[in-house]
Amino acid sequence: PPRGPLASWLGHVPELRRDALGFLRHSRAAYGDLFRIRMGPRDVLVVASPEAAREVLVDKAAFFRKGRGIQKMQPFLGTGLLTAEGETWRTHRRLMQPAFHRAALEGMAEAIVASTSPLLDRLAKAAQSGEPVDVGREMLHVTLRAVATALFGTALADDDLAVVERELPPLLSRTADRVRSPVDWRLPTPGERRAQAAGAALDRVVHRIIAARRAAGSGGHDLLGQLLAARDEGGTGLSDAELRDEVMTLFLAGHETTATLLTFLFLMLARHPEVRAQVQAEVRAELGQGAPGAAQVRALPLLQACIQETLRLYPPAWLLPRQATGPVTVGGVPLAEGAHVSVNVFLLQRCSRHWPEPGAFRPQRWLGLTRTPDAFLPFGAGARMCIGNHLALLESALIAALVLRDFTLEVPGGGPQGLAAGLTLKPDGAVLARVRALPPT
Ligand code: HEM
């Protein structure tokens, strides 16, 4: 149909709003792994091949900065790892990296297991009453608790946790709305004012915990203790304001991503009861009744394969936006300074060149693999790769193992069939599960 001036100014925004994934899949089928879309006044090059993604994220990363979607998080996040660029990013990443090493995370397993107990209580009650549970909501609760305890350890009082649980979710959803909006202005709407009040309440808690931790001396198993202890070569550590921004960043980056991974994992296992039975047998044989440790859950091959396969089909961070800082080519396509690029992890990980039956949930394909396949980038790649990847995998495996050891989650009717592709990729409706308790091992 003929397009009026508004429609042509909006470009593909209406199609993307209506069904972003459908539109992107059709475009890939028609134009291949590199194609352009129009978003308002901007042209965006969509990158869906592992080779071109590698150019953007690794080989030619010096020619790119984070794209507009991430830049728009700055009012809430300040300058944390996700949004920082240049020397600030490099210094912070160097200071923070050791706290996220696999070895440093071993000590956090206990705190993660402890933060799972309210979830297990809820599931036990649901199994008795027959009430369905909203898996997505439960996973948001448990991962918020887990990331908060991983960050603050025992410094997090129950009152503080209550403030975080009350204020953070509306703030995050407001941030997501801002990122999705094609315009940048922020009107003082009730939602915006509510978000600002929530931000201020959270800031007070975060600053109080930082001050208390500084006074008590750094160290300990929690991330904040390790960040307080981190010093660069000049002996300088992160200031309180910098720590605040990093804490907010870790909340944003580590909460909903891990929750959606777990939600999709339970959805997939409910749709594939034969796989679920095998995973449950593996978990129950290996874990016994005690609290599992990091090494124990890493040694559960089928559970790990199910997590990888879920991340392949449903990468929570499905888009990686970038902006060129100078002239550069991607897949042979010349780009000018300021050009927008969007690495589409969702399309890339469902590419039939790299994955036989790309749309099928087949965890077995991961068993026995010795290296990570090129067409698998759920945590990004290169220097800006997710700093929390080991934490996310440890947390998901611990939570999944604890649930699967004692409960079966059944999703009558197979749950929502569509996907909601916003800031993260989610099922397009509630995943309601019926819970059955298993006899003790
Ligand atoms: C960056 C995915 C969990 C902290 C990223 C990036 C991806 C990603 C794809 C790269 C973004 C880009 O290149 O534009 C995920 C997924 C997770 C997860 C799928 C869960 C399943 C976590 C957790 C934390 C975390 C648990 C920390 C508590 C970060 C930070 C960055 C980041 C700080 C920015 C790193 C930098 O630029 O130096 N994440 N993440 N993430 N993630 Fe994660």
Side-chain angles (χ1 to χ4, degrees):
R3 300 191 138 211
L6 177 65
S8 55
W9 181 81
L10 285 172
H12 298 115
V13 169
E15 285 92 334
L16 290 164
R17 287 254 157 150
R18 210 173 307 126
D19 175 15
L21 293 176
F23 172 68
L24 291 164
R25 282 169 126 158
H26 276 107
S27 305
R28 202 247 301 253
Y31 304 108
D33 285 342
L34 273 185
F35 55 91
R36 281 181 203 275
I37 57 174
R38 276 277 312 286
M39 295 194 62
R42 287 169 292 277
D43 263 343
V44 179
L45 181 71
V46 177
V47 170
S49 79
E51 299 78 16
R54 210 190 138 77
E55 283 186 64
V56 176
L57 301 175
V58 186
D59 304 338
K60 299 179 183 172
F63 292 91
F64 292 97
R65 59 185 305 223
K66 291 288 180 89
R68 197 164 156 276
I70 292 185
Q71 292 161 18
K72 283 171 83 179
M73 293 176 188
Q74 200 118 17
F76 161 56
L77 292 182
T79 307
L81 273 191
L82 205 58
T83 51
E85 299 285 349
E87 209 37 58
T88 309
W89 168 77
R90 220 178 321 280
T91 310
H92 284 213
R93 178 92 190 201
R94 209 179 308 125
L95 280 169
M96 292 171 69
Q97 191 72 59
F100 288 89
H101 276 156
R102 267 171 75 139
L105 300 177
E106 302 293 305
M108 273 173 222
E110 207 177 310
I112 296 171
V113 169
S115 48
T116 306
S117 63
L119 170 68
L120 300 176
D121 292 345
R122 281 268 304 125
L123 295 179
K125 284 206 188 89
Q128 268 186 350
S129 71
E131 283 285 309
V133 295
D134 180 334
V135 179
R137 242 190 32 209
E138 296 301 333
M139 294 307 122
L140 280 169
H141 283 309
V142 69
T143 59
L144 183 53
R145 259 174 187 269
V147 72
T149 6
L151 266 169
F152 301 127
T154 49
L156 187 73
D158 286 349
D159 289 354
D160 297 330
L161 182 61
V163 175
V164 171
E165 289 187 323
R166 189 175 65 237
E167 307 292 355
L168 195 67
L171 192 58
L172 295 184
S173 66
R174 188 79 202 138
T175 304
D177 289 345
R178 278 189 208 135
V179 171
R180 273 164 53 87
S181 166
V183 289
D184 286 342
W185 60 68
R186 282 164 60 193
L187 302 170
T189 57
E192 191 61 42
R193 280 206 299 271
R194 167 89 187 82
Q196 277 172 14
L202 272 175
D203 272 359
R204 281 194 294 277
V205 168
V206 170
H207 278 301
R208 187 152 38 77
I209 295 177
I210 291 172
R213 286 305 309 269
R214 269 205 205 282
S218 55
H221 284 315
D222 57 305
L223 289 172
L224 181 64
Q226 301 194 25
L227 298 187
L228 281 165
R231 293 269 174 273
D232 65 16
E233 282 138 29
T236 322
L238 296 170
S239 71
D240 283 6
E242 288 169 326
L243 279 169
R244 176 269 172 210
D245 290 355
E246 294 301 355
V247 164
M248 287 300 181
T249 297
L250 297 175
F251 268 133
L252 176 109
H255 165 44
E256 196 178 290
T257 43
T258 318
T260 18
L261 162 59
L262 281 163
T263 305
F264 276 118
L265 175 68
F266 288 120
L267 183 58
M268 286 298 103
L269 293 178
R271 285 191 195 152
H272 299 270
E274 69 298 343
V275 180
R276 181 184 60 209
Q278 287 167 5
V279 182
Q280 265 173 331
E282 177 185 83
V283 167
R284 287 165 71 88
E286 296 301 322
L287 293 197
Q289 276 308 306
Q296 261 183 312
V297 290
R298 284 197 193 109
L300 299 172
L302 189 56
L303 177 64
Q304 294 294 341
C306 288
I307 291 174
Q308 300 291 86
E309 183 67 345
T310 305
L311 281 171
R312 183 185 71 79
L313 280 173
Y314 306 106
W318 66 289
L319 280 184
L320 309 178
R322 292 293 188 274
Q323 192 171 11
T325 53
V328 61
T329 61
V330 171
V333 176
L335 295 173
E337 180 182 345
H340 296 274
V341 174
S342 172
V343 175
N344 194 304
V345 179
F346 176 84
L347 292 180
L348 186 153
Q349 295 186 159
R350 286 172 178 240
C351 158
S352 54
R353 258 194 308 138
H354 295 268
W355 301 103
E357 286 186 73
F361 178 75
R362 284 190 17 208
Q364 299 78 1
R365 62 172 108 226
W366 292 92
L367 297 174
L369 281 192
T370 48
R371 60 178 281 275
T372 309
D374 294 336
F376 186 66
L377 298 176
F379 295 106
R384 304 296 304 242
M385 189 171 167
C386 180
I387 200 172
N389 62 343
H390 295 307
L391 175 59
L393 292 174
L394 173 62
E395 187 185 325
S396 315
L398 283 168
I399 295 171
L402 284 163
V403 170
L404 289 164
R405 178 172 70 184
D406 294 338
F407 302 98
T408 296
L409 304 188
E410 284 162 356
V411 179
Q417 295 300 314
L419 297 171
L423 199 56
T424 55
L425 186 70
K426 290 190 272 199
D428 73 344
V431 176
L432 297 177
R434 242 194 334 245
V435 185
R436 274 199 298 117
L438 297 172
T441 50

